[in-house]
Amino acid sequence: MRTEVTEGLEGVVCHMDDVLVWGQTQEEHDARLYAVLEKIQKAGITLNVEKCDISKQEVTYLGHVITASGIRPDPSKTEAVRKMEEPKNVSELRSFLGMVNQLGKFIPQLAERDKPLRDLLSKKNCWLWGIDQARAFQDLKDSLISPPVLAMYDTNRETKVSADASSYGLGSVLLHKWEEDWRPVAYMSRSLTQTEQRYAQVEKEALGLTWACERFRNFLIGRHFELETDHKPLLSLLGSQTLDALPPRIQRFRMHLMRYSYSITQVPGKSLWTADTLSRAPVKRDSTPDEKEFLESTNIYVDMIIDGLPASTAYLEELKEQLAKDSVCGRVMQLCEEKWPAHSNSEPAIKLYWAEQAFITVKDGLLLKGDRLVIPTTMRNDVLARLHEGHQGVVKCRERARQSVWWPGLSQQLNELVLNCRTCSKERQNPKEPLMPTQYPGRPWQKLGADLFMLGSKSYLLVVDYASRYVEMDLLTPTRSTDVIHHLKSIFARHGIPETLVTDNRPQFSGRAFEEFAESYGFKHVTSSPKYPQSNGEAERAVKTVKSLLKKAADPYLALLAYRTTPLQNGYSPAQLLMGRRLRTTVPTLPALLDPALPDSEAVVLRERERRIKDAQRYNLRHRVRSLERLAPGKEVWVTDQKSRVAGMQLSSIQEVFQSSVLQNLRSPVLKICHLPREPGLGEPW
């Protein structure tokens, strides 16, 4: 029923689907009722005759009994307090007085009325429950369920539901805010069933809040309200946590709460006296049909999730046996049904489980975290092996685990298992390592890079200066080592002999003749890493640039001249950096600009260093680089190209294997060396 249907009618109040019609006389009542029914019929709304009370002298509406003589609270809303039994010890009495004191500002002359009870709290007095105490107890109960303590329900006021759970009962109170104070509107309590008493404490607390909302639903549906609890894990379980991450039973409670608009807050237990007292003195009565249906639907839902677990019946039975034998898991299961310690250091054995206590539950002898099985120690190696079937990576294995199993440290153990898997190590591609930029030379023509390349059917020798990036190239006919040496001598005669020459491992650069040439001319010959041309990146980049120029240019010499006279990022052209002057080209230039002028070497060095740093940063980011673990003496490795492993040797021995492989087959040298884990022993953890 919507309020718009009955809007404008006299003697009618509508709240959600509850409509109240009244009149001072029978004729006035009938006329107003007829007008309401006519509006309902036009709106196309159907009424249930069995739920309609017509022409009554007394009616229950929104927690109140409305009669011709006045309004009084609905007895069902105060039953939890009216039927509260007398305290049997100091602890129960203190709990009751805490509830009274919380609402004491609304009880006149409270200090005088509760004195007989407060006297029993003194350690000097013995426990004696007499006539004065019984009279004071009953008097205070009557005050709690009568005005001004008990407030009238008002749709315009802020509303709060406070609930708590003990080991055997649930208690809740519906509160309204009057100025700065919260006043009770209705009380509710009940005993837990035998099944509910076996719930974990966090499940009992969640049950208390859900049950309270269901019992007060006529007051709560359609408006925003506040849920109050003293159990901090419920803030995320019933608030921000995703539904599929919750334990099965709490997941069902959360689904029941989805029809309400609420915000949940946590308060200290000492501020929850009313709900706490009601939960410790629950009304013993038979469950209502709604409560029975709620319990049955919850149990059916949980059983459905357990039956849907990806494990056979035989495996689940074995799991139950191993959980019972495991001392740590057994203790965790015991704490789930009792109460977890306040601090993780109280029991070191359960420290790793303590942080997940809100998500850990017990169902039919199985320990669950959310809807995932908790695996005991003796069965973990087998589960790890199953998770790594197919030899998938760490991320995929973790995703498989998130679907069904959990134990403390599972993620880290999966990480170690995959990284130490011998089969995976043999097939694993090493990640890109951080780029190591070459140092900018101290002066031009100090360090050169040389390479051979083909364009069309012709072979060329290219030489590039690491400092100025000035390029020299010659046509090779043929491409023997002696021809390469001849052209290098010609280039050195024009520009001088460098200190270092970097080349690859081609036969033209690795023979005896080239070694003698380097020795006689007095320069250091350095070869790049096999199958890793990036180690002579300056020459490789120059080859790419020159190829592009020659393919597109009609006159290759003018193209080379254009390259040599074009300024680099540091502001100077290769010719300026090498020769200290601009070269005359076909582009008109002022004659004064062709006068020799040395570049600012300090500025050039600074700009080159900055450029190299930025290049390295971009490369590392683009390739998601990471440093590899350093090889230690005695480390077992897998030599990919040789399809064999090398174990128990020093680093120098590994280098010898590497060098010998290069000498045996220069066109397919060893490039990749992977770490191999040691074989796990029988019963030894991965």
Side-chain angles (χ1 to χ4, degrees), residues 363-378:
K363 173 62 178 175
D364 295 337
L366 294 173
L367 189 60
L368 303 174
K369 178 188 178 289
D371 57 356
R372 298 159 65 182
L373 292 168
V374 178
I375 307 298
T377 307
T378 54

PDB file of all heavy atoms in Angstrom, residues 363-378:
ATOM      1  N   LYS A 363      31.035 -26.294  10.375  1.00  0.00           N
ATOM      2  CA  LYS A 363      29.791 -26.866   9.889  1.00  0.00           C
ATOM      3  C   LYS A 363      29.977 -28.355   9.669  1.00  0.00           C
ATOM      4  O   LYS A 363      30.795 -28.779   8.840  1.00  0.00           O
ATOM      5  CB  LYS A 363      29.372 -26.181   8.582  1.00  0.00           C
ATOM      6  CG  LYS A 363      28.172 -26.816   7.894  1.00  0.00           C
ATOM      7  CD  LYS A 363      26.915 -26.749   8.744  1.00  0.00           C
ATOM      8  CE  LYS A 363      25.727 -27.350   8.013  1.00  0.00           C
ATOM      9  NZ  LYS A 363      24.514 -27.400   8.847  1.00  0.00           N
ATOM     10  N   ASP A 364      29.252 -29.177  10.429  1.00  0.00           N
ATOM     11  CA  ASP A 364      29.285 -30.643  10.292  1.00  0.00           C
ATOM     12  C   ASP A 364      30.698 -31.208  10.372  1.00  0.00           C
ATOM     13  O   ASP A 364      31.093 -32.072   9.578  1.00  0.00           O
ATOM     14  CB  ASP A 364      28.641 -31.068   8.969  1.00  0.00           C
ATOM     15  CG  ASP A 364      27.161 -30.727   8.918  1.00  0.00           C
ATOM     16  OD1 ASP A 364      26.558 -30.579  10.000  1.00  0.00           O
ATOM     17  OD2 ASP A 364      26.617 -30.592   7.815  1.00  0.00           O
ATOM     18  N   GLY A 365      31.507 -30.687  11.304  1.00  0.00           N
ATOM     19  CA  GLY A 365      32.861 -31.197  11.485  1.00  0.00           C
ATOM     20  C   GLY A 365      33.878 -30.639  10.521  1.00  0.00           C
ATOM     21  O   GLY A 365      35.052 -31.016  10.574  1.00  0.00           O
ATOM     22  N   LEU A 366      33.465 -29.740   9.629  1.00  0.00           N
ATOM     23  CA  LEU A 366      34.377 -29.109   8.682  1.00  0.00           C
ATOM     24  C   LEU A 366      34.689 -27.694   9.146  1.00  0.00           C
ATOM     25  O   LEU A 366      33.808 -26.985   9.649  1.00  0.00           O
ATOM     26  CB  LEU A 366      33.767 -29.065   7.288  1.00  0.00           C
ATOM     27  CG  LEU A 366      33.530 -30.404   6.588  1.00  0.00           C
ATOM     28  CD1 LEU A 366      32.758 -30.192   5.297  1.00  0.00           C
ATOM     29  CD2 LEU A 366      34.852 -31.113   6.304  1.00  0.00           C
ATOM     30  N   LEU A 367      35.922 -27.301   8.969  1.00  0.00           N
ATOM     31  CA  LEU A 367      36.349 -25.939   9.304  1.00  0.00           C
ATOM     32  C   LEU A 367      36.356 -25.131   8.013  1.00  0.00           C
ATOM     33  O   LEU A 367      36.990 -25.523   7.028  1.00  0.00           O
ATOM     34  CB  LEU A 367      37.743 -25.967   9.939  1.00  0.00           C
ATOM     35  CG  LEU A 367      38.253 -24.654  10.547  1.00  0.00           C
ATOM     36  CD1 LEU A 367      37.340 -24.174  11.660  1.00  0.00           C
ATOM     37  CD2 LEU A 367      39.675 -24.845  11.084  1.00  0.00           C
ATOM     38  N   LEU A 368      35.640 -24.010   8.015  1.00  0.00           N
ATOM     39  CA  LEU A 368      35.487 -23.202   6.807  1.00  0.00           C
ATOM     40  C   LEU A 368      35.972 -21.785   7.049  1.00  0.00           C
ATOM     41  O   LEU A 368      35.794 -21.235   8.137  1.00  0.00           O
ATOM     42  CB  LEU A 368      34.014 -23.142   6.370  1.00  0.00           C
ATOM     43  CG  LEU A 368      33.284 -24.454   6.104  1.00  0.00           C
ATOM     44  CD1 LEU A 368      31.822 -24.186   5.830  1.00  0.00           C
ATOM     45  CD2 LEU A 368      33.903 -25.195   4.933  1.00  0.00           C
ATOM     46  N   LYS A 369      36.586 -21.213   6.011  1.00  0.00           N
ATOM     47  CA  LYS A 369      36.847 -19.767   5.983  1.00  0.00           C
ATOM     48  C   LYS A 369      36.033 -19.215   4.819  1.00  0.00           C
ATOM     49  O   LYS A 369      36.360 -19.424   3.668  1.00  0.00           O
ATOM     50  CB  LYS A 369      38.313 -19.453   5.767  1.00  0.00           C
ATOM     51  CG  LYS A 369      38.588 -17.942   5.690  1.00  0.00           C
ATOM     52  CD  LYS A 369      40.016 -17.654   5.290  1.00  0.00           C
ATOM     53  CE  LYS A 369      40.253 -16.160   5.164  1.00  0.00           C
ATOM     54  NZ  LYS A 369      39.600 -15.564   3.991  1.00  0.00           N
ATOM     55  N   GLY A 370      34.954 -18.521   5.141  1.00  0.00           N
ATOM     56  CA  GLY A 370      33.997 -18.182   4.106  1.00  0.00           C
ATOM     57  C   GLY A 370      33.371 -19.471   3.601  1.00  0.00           C
ATOM     58  O   GLY A 370      32.823 -20.256   4.373  1.00  0.00           O
ATOM     59  N   ASP A 371      33.460 -19.713   2.313  1.00  0.00           N
ATOM     60  CA  ASP A 371      32.985 -20.984   1.764  1.00  0.00           C
ATOM     61  C   ASP A 371      34.148 -21.856   1.285  1.00  0.00           C
ATOM     62  O   ASP A 371      33.966 -22.733   0.447  1.00  0.00           O
ATOM     63  CB  ASP A 371      32.003 -20.737   0.618  1.00  0.00           C
ATOM     64  CG  ASP A 371      32.611 -19.900  -0.495  1.00  0.00           C
ATOM     65  OD1 ASP A 371      33.766 -19.460  -0.342  1.00  0.00           O
ATOM     66  OD2 ASP A 371      31.933 -19.681  -1.516  1.00  0.00           O
ATOM     67  N   ARG A 372      35.341 -21.628   1.846  1.00  0.00           N
ATOM     68  CA  ARG A 372      36.531 -22.405   1.486  1.00  0.00           C
ATOM     69  C   ARG A 372      36.904 -23.357   2.613  1.00  0.00           C
ATOM     70  O   ARG A 372      36.812 -23.003   3.795  1.00  0.00           O
ATOM     71  CB  ARG A 372      37.706 -21.459   1.195  1.00  0.00           C
ATOM     72  CG  ARG A 372      37.474 -20.527   0.041  1.00  0.00           C
ATOM     73  CD  ARG A 372      38.368 -19.312   0.059  1.00  0.00           C
ATOM     74  NE  ARG A 372      39.779 -19.651  -0.098  1.00  0.00           N
ATOM     75  CZ  ARG A 372      40.759 -18.755  -0.074  1.00  0.00           C
ATOM     76  NH1 ARG A 372      40.479 -17.462   0.127  1.00  0.00           N
ATOM     77  NH2 ARG A 372      42.011 -19.118  -0.234  1.00  0.00           N
ATOM     78  N   LEU A 373      37.314 -24.551   2.251  1.00  0.00           N
ATOM     79  CA  LEU A 373      37.722 -25.556   3.234  1.00  0.00           C
ATOM     80  C   LEU A 373      39.078 -25.190   3.835  1.00  0.00           C
ATOM     81  O   LEU A 373      40.010 -24.839   3.115  1.00  0.00           O
ATOM     82  CB  LEU A 373      37.820 -26.930   2.572  1.00  0.00           C
ATOM     83  CG  LEU A 373      36.500 -27.563   2.094  1.00  0.00           C
ATOM     84  CD1 LEU A 373      36.802 -28.763   1.206  1.00  0.00           C
ATOM     85  CD2 LEU A 373      35.644 -27.979   3.272  1.00  0.00           C
ATOM     86  N   VAL A 374      39.177 -25.279   5.149  1.00  0.00           N
ATOM     87  CA  VAL A 374      40.467 -25.101   5.818  1.00  0.00           C
ATOM     88  C   VAL A 374      41.149 -26.464   5.882  1.00  0.00           C
ATOM     89  O   VAL A 374      40.580 -27.429   6.414  1.00  0.00           O
ATOM     90  CB  VAL A 374      40.285 -24.517   7.235  1.00  0.00           C
ATOM     91  CG1 VAL A 374      41.630 -24.380   7.923  1.00  0.00           C
ATOM     92  CG2 VAL A 374      39.596 -23.160   7.154  1.00  0.00           C
ATOM     93  N   ILE A 375      42.350 -26.557   5.341  1.00  0.00           N
ATOM     94  CA  ILE A 375      43.059 -27.833   5.217  1.00  0.00           C
ATOM     95  C   ILE A 375      44.056 -27.984   6.366  1.00  0.00           C
ATOM     96  O   ILE A 375      44.845 -27.065   6.629  1.00  0.00           O
ATOM     97  CB  ILE A 375      43.802 -27.917   3.870  1.00  0.00           C
ATOM     98  CG1 ILE A 375      42.840 -27.622   2.708  1.00  0.00           C
ATOM     99  CG2 ILE A 375      44.455 -29.281   3.691  1.00  0.00           C
ATOM    100  CD1 ILE A 375      41.697 -28.595   2.594  1.00  0.00           C
ATOM    101  N   PRO A 376      44.059 -29.142   7.070  1.00  0.00           N
ATOM    102  CA  PRO A 376      45.040 -29.360   8.144  1.00  0.00           C
ATOM    103  C   PRO A 376      46.440 -29.591   7.581  1.00  0.00           C
ATOM    104  O   PRO A 376      46.618 -29.836   6.377  1.00  0.00           O
ATOM    105  CB  PRO A 376      44.503 -30.607   8.850  1.00  0.00           C
ATOM    106  CG  PRO A 376      43.713 -31.319   7.808  1.00  0.00           C
ATOM    107  CD  PRO A 376      43.124 -30.262   6.928  1.00  0.00           C
ATOM    108  N   THR A 377      47.424 -29.566   8.470  1.00  0.00           N
ATOM    109  CA  THR A 377      48.826 -29.624   8.048  1.00  0.00           C
ATOM    110  C   THR A 377      49.158 -30.880   7.250  1.00  0.00           C
ATOM    111  O   THR A 377      49.870 -30.821   6.245  1.00  0.00           O
ATOM    112  CB  THR A 377      49.730 -29.545   9.287  1.00  0.00           C
ATOM    113  OG1 THR A 377      49.371 -28.390  10.052  1.00  0.00           O
ATOM    114  CG2 THR A 377      51.190 -29.448   8.886  1.00  0.00           C
ATOM    115  N   THR A 378      48.634 -32.031   7.680  1.00  0.00           N
ATOM    116  CA  THR A 378      49.009 -33.299   7.048  1.00  0.00           C
ATOM    117  C   THR A 378      48.538 -33.425   5.601  1.00  0.00           C
ATOM    118  O   THR A 378      49.069 -34.242   4.850  1.00  0.00           O
ATOM    119  CB  THR A 378      48.439 -34.475   7.857  1.00  0.00           C
ATOM    120  OG1 THR A 378      47.022 -34.290   8.009  1.00  0.00           O
ATOM    121  CG2 THR A 378      49.088 -34.538   9.235  1.00  0.00           C
TER     122      THR A 378
END
